[in-house]
Structure formats: C-alpha cells, structure tokens
Amino acid sequence: MPNELPNFEAIADDMGYLPDLEAKYRYLIDLSKKLPEFRSADQIDDYRVWGCQSSVWLVPILDEEAEPPVLRFRGASDSTLVS
C-alpha cells in the first residue's frame, strides 16, 4: 500500500486521555488534516455514500500484497468531523 495505515490502538489510547467530547472532536479533526489529499476525480456517484447528512465518498482498494488480500478504503467528506 502506498500509504501507511494509522496506528488505531495508539489513537484509541490517546482518545482515552482526553478530558471531554470537545477535545476528542478536536483531536479527530487534527488527525483528518494529516490524511492524504482526496482526489476530486474520486468524488463521483459510484463512490458516494447515499443517505448521509454530509457528502461522503468511499473508494475501495484491493490490497493484493497483504496476506490474505485485504479490501481497504480511502474516504472523504465535506464535513471536517466526518473526514
């Protein structure tokens, strides 16, 4: 995979130390700013998640190098928190 996966356990641990929901929201927003840029060419109806209040796109990527192969997703939203 071209992009390294986040350390979800470390993120969960960090969230456990934050004092309230507002701090957790700020932490998630800060993390989202570090994500690779989502190509506008991928913001198409085929990748759109319908039924959400905000616009959300999920692009499936088959990682055939993983053993066994794994289906991963890149995503984006027009909502900062959802991103």
Side-chain angles (χ1 to χ4, degrees), residues 27-70:
Y27 179 65
L28 289 175
I29 290 167
D30 287 344
L31 286 176
S32 75
K33 292 175 183 175
K34 297 175 185 175
L35 292 171
E37 188 172 334
F38 191 80
R39 300 178 326 147
S40 60
D42 288 335
Q43 292 180 353
I44 59 174
D45 285 350
D46 288 347
Y47 299 139
R48 179 107 185 254
V49 178
W50 297 98
C52 294
Q53 251 184 335
S54 53
S55 296
V56 177
W57 296 269
L58 289 176
V59 178
I61 302 164
L62 180 60
D63 182 356
E64 296 184 60
E65 294 178 14
E67 188 55 45
V70 175

